[in-house]
Amino acid sequence: MLLVGCGDGDRIDQIDGSIPAPKAVTVTSVRAIPGGAVIKVGLPNDPNLKGVVAKYVRNGEPVETRISRYIDSLTVEGYANTDAQQVHIYAFNSNGDLSEPVDVTINPEAPAVQTVQVSMEQCFGGVKIHIENNTYKENLAVVLMACTDPTEVDKADEDRKWVEVTTLFTASEDIYLARRGLEAKETLFGCYLRDNWGNLSDKTIAVLTPREEVEIDPTKVLYYNPGDDNSKQTTSSYPIMALWDRTYSGNSPNLYASDANSPMPQWLTFDLGKRVILSRIGKWGRKSYQPYQNANPRDYEFWGSIEDPKQYEPNPENEHGFADCWFKLGTFTQPKPSGYNPDGTPGAWTDEDIVYWNQGTEFEMDPLQFPHAYDELRYLRLVILDTYQTWNTVNRKGQFQLEELLPFGQVLESYR
């Protein structure tokens, strides 16, 4: 009995030399995709069939793609160009024995590293990289390089003294990626893309000078209600000044939550303590807490005033009835790297969406869209136009929750 118990018996992973190789597959269609193709196969009616494998050479290296007998499509991908490629397709059995091959010629479309458009521009504190036309939302690494000698722009690329600044990652179809904290001096920048298979794009280069930028000291910011603020905190557990405490716990008392019956839009006013020009405003929602849904803000406005708004009466003729001293800095919708649905709903979210949410959002001032975006101001007004819960609904009352705000820009005077 012991001998029988320790024997191989009928183990299903045991190689059986008596199992014949399966019959060959048939190819029913070939559809080109960026950097590859989707090959649909007809499976043989063969009890020995376990799966199908495509063997091919990609960028000089032999590789293969396998599918089980329950799937009828193989995806061959990762090519760096549009040259015709040979793919050999086999059926295989549980022993790994292969059928006769079926040879297929594929003609890949241009890969994303060739079709995605990359441009760079200087901004406050650094460089912005614009990724466009990533139609298939391929996973891409965006590599930013710098050469401190801008005269090397006229040299061959291999002769430039490049230093890697950062690598950013995205699968978004259209997105701006920013690298901050760079010196405000003329620099030669280069940027290229790398896909999952190590294919590289051509390098985009530009001589840019980041604009000087500092963080506005949050310890000097005061809540300053001119008398018309309409967003009320729920309890002292969610104080307004939690928006500036630089504590990212996501819990009470380190976030602001307004009363559930507050009207939309809601606004709060702050005294920055000095005259400034704002370049951008960083925003953090509650980390990993109901991202892109419920009481998290969806649509924002920021307004500024150089004069004390308490000296002015609200004007019902103005937008939101604001006093004449206020000017609009910008209107923003919470970005979502994977994009919103055509009807404006957020839909599902990707891993990149969650990372983006947790790392914080930047709302950058744009004087081309809003002429007063770079006007001097001392008083800042946050306006929440809608949360995800109130957006596109008849319910114009609701709570909003927000973790942190952090303004950046240029300081024009010392604190008094």
Side-chain angles (χ1 to χ4, degrees):
M1 290 178 64
L2 288 173
L3 290 173
V4 173
C6 294
D8 288 328
D10 294 324
R11 282 173 49 189
I12 61 174
D13 62 341
Q14 181 178 348
I15 294 178
D16 183 353
S18 67
I19 299 176
K23 298 176 183 178
V25 302
T26 58
V27 173
T28 59
S29 67
V30 178
R31 177 172 59 87
I33 61 174
V38 177
I39 304 171
K40 193 168 185 179
V41 296
L43 302 176
N45 184 13
D46 190 325
N48 299 314
L49 176 69
K50 184 176 182 180
V52 180
V53 59
K55 295 177 177 285
Y56 50 103
V57 175
R58 181 179 64 207
N59 305 335
E61 297 291 333
V63 292
E64 62 180 44
T65 299
R66 290 175 176 259
I67 57 173
S68 77
R69 61 186 177 182
Y70 304 107
I71 302 173
D72 65 357
S73 293
L74 286 151
T75 301
V76 174
E77 55 188 341
Y79 289 105
N81 52 52
T82 59
D83 295 345
Q85 306 289 339
Q86 290 294 313
V87 180
H88 311 290
I89 303 176
Y90 306 83
F92 61 88
N93 63 17
S94 58
N95 291 340
D97 300 321
L98 302 178
S99 70
E100 291 296 318
V102 175
D103 298 334
V104 180
T105 299
I106 67 171
N107 296 280
E109 294 180 357
V113 291
Q114 293 182 6
T115 59
V116 171
Q117 298 171 348
V118 181
S119 59
M120 293 183 291
E121 60 185 83
Q122 62 202 32
C123 62
F124 279 94
V127 174
K128 281 197 308 182
I129 305 168
H130 191 188
I131 303 298
E132 297 178 272
N133 200 36
N134 188 12
T135 307
Y136 291 90
K137 299 185 177 181
E138 300 284 353
N139 291 310
L140 296 172
V142 183
V143 184
L144 179 66
M145 314 286 289
C147 178
T148 56
D149 184 359
T151 64
E152 293 192 6
V153 67
D154 297 322
K155 291 185 177 182
D157 192 68
E158 60 271 18
D159 296 329
R160 296 171 180 144
K161 300 180 184 68
W162 290 115
V163 175
E164 184 171 329
V165 176
T166 191
T167 299
L168 306 167
F169 299 90
T170 186
S172 180
E173 182 176 356
D174 189 325
I175 193 172
Y176 281 95
L177 302 172
R179 175 60 163 87
R180 309 286 183 176
L182 303 179
E183 288 188 74
K185 67 177 184 179
E186 189 177 63
T187 303
L188 174 62
F189 291 98
C191 182
Y192 66 88
L193 306 177
R194 184 180 67 243
D195 66 17
N196 285 341
W197 302 275
N199 300 317
L200 306 179
S201 71
D202 292 336
K203 189 175 292 177
T204 299
I205 65 171
V207 176
L208 304 171
T209 304
R211 300 181 66 175
E212 188 173 2
E213 179 188 64
V214 298
E215 175 185 323
I216 307 302
D217 188 348
T219 65
K220 305 297 184 181
V221 177
L222 299 174
Y223 174 56
Y224 188 81
N225 183 0
D228 63 333
D229 281 2
N230 68 347
S231 183
K232 309 300 181 185
Q233 65 191 60
T234 51
T235 68
S236 59
S237 298
Y238 303 102
I240 290 173
M241 289 311 297
L243 292 170
W244 311 95
D245 67 4
R246 297 301 168 266
T247 302
Y248 303 89
S249 71
N251 300 308
S252 169
N254 304 122
L255 72 144
Y256 173 68
S258 68
D259 186 85
N261 290 316
S262 296
M264 288 293 175
Q266 298 179 43
W267 56 84
L268 298 165
T269 306
F270 300 91
D271 180 1
L272 303 184
K274 55 186 173 182
R275 292 186 301 113
V276 302
I277 294 175
L278 294 184
S279 56
R280 58 188 169 105
I281 296 176
K283 161 264 162 185
W284 286 262
R286 297 182 68 180
K287 184 172 289 188
S288 299
Y289 182 80
Q290 301 180 338
Y292 309 101
Q293 56 187 312
N294 296 334
N296 283 301
R298 172 193 168 107
D299 298 313
Y300 299 76
E301 286 180 350
F302 294 99
W303 293 69
S305 174
I306 190 65
E307 300 177 84
D308 185 345
K310 286 185 178 179
Q311 300 175 1
Y312 293 81
E313 293 293 327
N315 186 345
E317 301 296 321
N318 293 336
E319 189 173 1
H320 309 311
F322 288 174
D324 293 337
C325 62
W326 290 105
F327 50 85
K328 187 185 291 188
L329 301 171
T331 299
F332 306 91
T333 294
Q334 170 64 45
K336 182 170 174 279
S338 67
Y340 288 78
N341 291 330
D343 63 358
T345 55
W349 40 86
T350 64
D351 290 343
E352 183 182 358
D353 293 335
I354 301 303
V355 170
Y356 186 91
W357 178 273
N358 290 335
Q359 288 182 345
T361 299
E362 290 185 346
F363 299 125
E364 189 160 359
M365 303 302 122
D366 182 359
L368 296 179
Q369 186 176 4
F370 295 92
H372 298 289
Y374 286 167
D375 282 11
E376 296 181 17
L377 63 96
R378 172 167 171 168
Y379 302 91
L380 176 67
R381 176 163 282 185
L382 162 69
V383 179
I384 303 299
L385 296 174
D386 262 307
T387 65
Y388 285 92
Q389 189 170 42
T390 65
W391 180 82
N392 204 28
T393 67
V394 296
N395 178 19
R396 301 307 298 160
K397 290 185 177 180
Q399 180 187 82
F400 83 84
Q401 301 176 7
L402 197 56
E403 178 86 11
E404 293 289 334
L405 292 176
L406 178 58
F408 294 83
Q410 294 179 340
V411 178
L412 303 177
E413 65 177 353
S414 300
Y415 285 109
R416 293 192 292 271

